[in-house]
Amino acid sequence: MEVTRTELLPGVHLTAVQTKKFKSSVLGMQFLSPLAQETAALNALLPAVLRRGTVAHPDMERLSAALDELYGGTLEPTVRKKGETQCVGFVGSFLDDAYTLDGSAVLEPAAALLGELVLEPYTRDGAFCPDYTRQERENLVNRIRAQINDKRQYAQLRVVAEMCAGEPFGVDKLGDEASASAITPQALWEHYQKLLRTAPVEFYYCGSAPFERVEGAVRAIARRLPQGERTPVPHPVKGSAPAQPRRVEEALDVTQGKLAMGFRTGADAWDEDYPALTLVNAVYGGTTTSKLFMNVRERLSLCYYASSGLMKYKDVMLVSSGVEFDKVGQAQDEILAQLKNCQEGQFSDDELEWARRSVVSTLMTTLDAQSRLEDYWLGQSAAGLTEAPDELAERVEHTTREQVTAAARKLTLDTVYFLKGKE
């Protein structure tokens, strides 16, 4: 597996992964935009509207027919949050050229269709089609409203919003309902024109085609982008926890409490001690052999579930747990007690090695899944990082107990969010 990264134009890059491991190839194009309340919903809506039709294929039926001709390929709109960067665009999956029946090329026509989606949208009266905009706007509003239905995920969204209020990271990748509801075809069109001119662009390819062919196929799209200054998205600024943790409670019609706790880590993917932080997370709550799982959930039965997770491109770690309403205090105390154990180095050699094996295995299996590989490299590209999964795994392998303990000591509780039942 060979990874090549090149700049096609100022602010326009291609990351190509040459491999014969898969029978399909992946082709993607993403616009990178700083997360902001004013533009999040506009960005989130844009790829869905673009996917509705082009000049040559003005509806989804004809677009689907064009994809069917490419051995049943797919081109799906995506909206992702990588640190404080919002990434919007398309990811396509196509039969790899090595497996076509007659040796015909799929890469070039697939790239041409991707370029058509992004640069030749179906319009009416000089703006996006009103019907398409209205329908996709309603879908976006419904997606935003539906976030509350998954209470575990909702609690995590809420603790991030409270913890990072005033920081770009506190903005949801879909934007807010009020902003989404107010989007007009003309406003979306004007935003689209600005994005085309000013947003950094990331192309991605994974498949068996030689780099020269891939570069030629995506350069044909890149050269049609309007000229403008594409300013790199800035790195997130590290936050600092308040002297006393923020505490937020919300009451909804739930039968199980959701306790979400946000910690400042003092480190992120740009820092040398990031590998140690991944091991802290695994020892603490990131695996089924972690302290939260084995003690808070299994031994003490204080939670239905208890786990931790890192935000790779932001100095944030979240603990998520489901608790009985009357056990929330006990659960919180024990969650913090287990963190203290990590900070004092009170974990066995076996616990550390189980954590190490889990982190390394997760990184290495990224190489075996095209969707995870694409997502990994998008994050790295948005962050301006070039470390491959296996290279990060190698650093994890050589991380010491002392480094893990030192990284754990940087963790500071910032915000506690509790979703309780109505009285």
Side-chain angles (χ1 to χ4, degrees):
M1 188 173 289
E2 182 179 355
V3 181
T4 307
R5 181 166 169 80
T6 189
E7 187 173 49
L8 303 171
L9 295 169
V12 181
H13 291 85
L14 163 66
T15 301
V17 180
Q18 263 71 44
T19 177
K20 296 181 179 179
K21 182 180 289 189
F22 309 106
K23 291 186 177 180
S24 60
S25 60
V26 169
L27 182 66
M29 179 180 181
Q30 305 290 320
F31 293 96
L32 310 186
S33 178
L35 259 176
Q37 199 70 53
E38 302 76 26
T39 57
L42 285 161
N43 286 332
L45 181 59
L46 183 59
V49 174
L50 289 172
R51 182 62 176 77
R52 291 297 298 269
T54 69
V55 173
H57 303 91
D59 54 46
M60 295 187 76
E61 183 178 353
R62 277 175 272 198
L63 267 175
S64 295
L67 286 164
D68 286 343
E69 292 178 7
L70 297 174
Y71 292 89
T74 63
L75 268 171
E76 298 301 327
T78 59
V79 181
R80 284 172 283 184
K81 174 177 174 178
K82 298 294 182 182
E84 294 181 347
T85 301
Q86 190 179 17
C87 309
V88 298
F90 295 92
V91 175
S93 179
F94 300 91
L95 183 68
D96 193 271
D97 285 356
Y99 295 93
T100 58
L101 296 176
D102 54 0
S104 58
V106 176
L107 171 60
E108 285 79 5
L113 188 58
L114 172 62
E116 185 182 317
L117 270 179
V118 174
L119 297 169
E120 302 171 27
Y122 177 68
T123 61
R124 285 187 191 170
D125 302 321
F128 284 113
C129 170
D131 287 342
Y132 291 171
T133 305
R134 175 183 53 79
Q135 291 163 9
E136 295 304 331
R137 183 181 61 217
E138 290 175 359
N139 289 339
L140 177 59
V141 169
N142 288 336
R143 283 181 67 190
I144 294 170
R145 288 174 178 167
Q147 289 177 320
I148 200 171
N149 295 335
D150 183 338
K151 298 300 189 293
R152 180 174 181 171
Q153 186 67 29
Y154 176 73
Q156 293 186 39
L157 289 172
R158 290 287 291 115
V159 75
V160 167
E162 294 287 344
M163 178 178 177
C164 300
E167 300 176 50
F169 194 72
V171 177
D172 186 74
K173 69 176 183 179
L174 299 180
D176 63 275
E177 185 178 338
S179 299
S181 299
I183 296 174
T184 64
Q186 187 62 39
L188 186 63
W189 180 260
E190 291 172 2
H191 180 71
Y192 161 69
Q193 298 302 317
K194 182 179 179 181
L195 206 68
L196 285 175
R197 292 193 312 273
T198 63
V201 177
E202 289 289 339
F203 288 97
Y204 176 85
Y205 171 80
C206 178
S208 69
F211 178 77
E212 293 72 20
R213 273 188 63 202
V214 179
E215 184 182 23
V218 299
R219 194 178 286 278
I221 305 173
R223 69 166 62 103
R224 296 172 59 200
L225 289 166
Q227 291 188 351
E229 185 176 350
R230 303 181 189 276
T231 306
V233 179
H235 291 177
V237 176
K238 289 186 175 69
S240 56
Q244 292 296 320
R246 303 176 184 90
R247 299 188 179 275
V248 180
E249 286 193 357
E250 185 175 359
L252 290 175
D253 188 14
V254 293
T255 57
Q256 180 189 112
K258 305 296 179 186
L259 176 64
M261 302 167 68
F263 295 82
R264 296 288 180 175
T265 63
D268 50 34
W270 291 273
D271 293 297
E272 279 298 314
D273 55 353
Y274 178 71
L277 185 60
T278 66
L279 288 174
V280 173
N281 177 63
V283 169
Y284 179 47
T287 69
T288 54
T289 60
S290 67
K291 289 189 175 295
L292 292 186
F293 186 91
M294 298 300 292
N295 293 286
V296 184
R297 182 186 185 274
E298 294 293 295
R299 181 172 62 84
L300 298 172
S301 299
L302 290 173
C303 298
Y304 294 100
Y305 61 86
S307 63
S308 65
L310 286 178
M311 306 294 105
K312 181 176 181 179
Y313 303 105
K314 181 66 175 175
D315 60 326
V316 170
M317 183 178 75
L318 301 181
V319 169
S320 177
S321 59
V323 300
E324 295 286 355
F325 303 132
D326 59 353
K327 289 185 178 180
V328 62
Q330 292 173 268
Q332 181 179 315
D333 289 346
E334 189 60 31
I335 286 168
L336 293 175
Q338 293 302 327
L339 177 60
K340 187 177 180 181
N341 287 340
C342 294
Q343 293 172 328
E344 294 177 349
Q346 295 182 27
F347 47 87
S348 68
D349 290 342
D350 283 344
E351 285 178 285
L352 179 56
E353 285 310 306
W354 292 333
R356 197 188 308 274
R357 298 278 64 79
S358 175
V359 173
V360 169
S361 175
T362 298
L363 287 167
M364 296 307 290
T365 54
T366 298
L367 301 172
D368 298 324
Q370 280 188 304
S371 59
R372 288 176 58 189
L373 202 55
E374 185 274 336
D375 190 66
Y376 176 91
W377 280 113
L378 173 63
Q380 294 293 86
S381 300
L385 298 172
T386 58
E387 187 173 49
D390 53 339
E391 293 171 333
L392 178 54
E394 184 68 17
R395 286 208 289 153
V396 171
E397 289 279 18
H398 292 94
T399 300
T400 65
R401 165 184 284 274
E402 291 72 25
Q403 289 172 313
V404 174
T405 304
R409 289 189 185 124
K410 293 182 180 180
L411 266 65
T412 310
L413 181 60
D414 185 297
T415 303
V416 178
Y417 170 85
F418 182 52
L419 178 60
K420 62 182 181 179
K422 291 183 178 179
E423 297 294 331

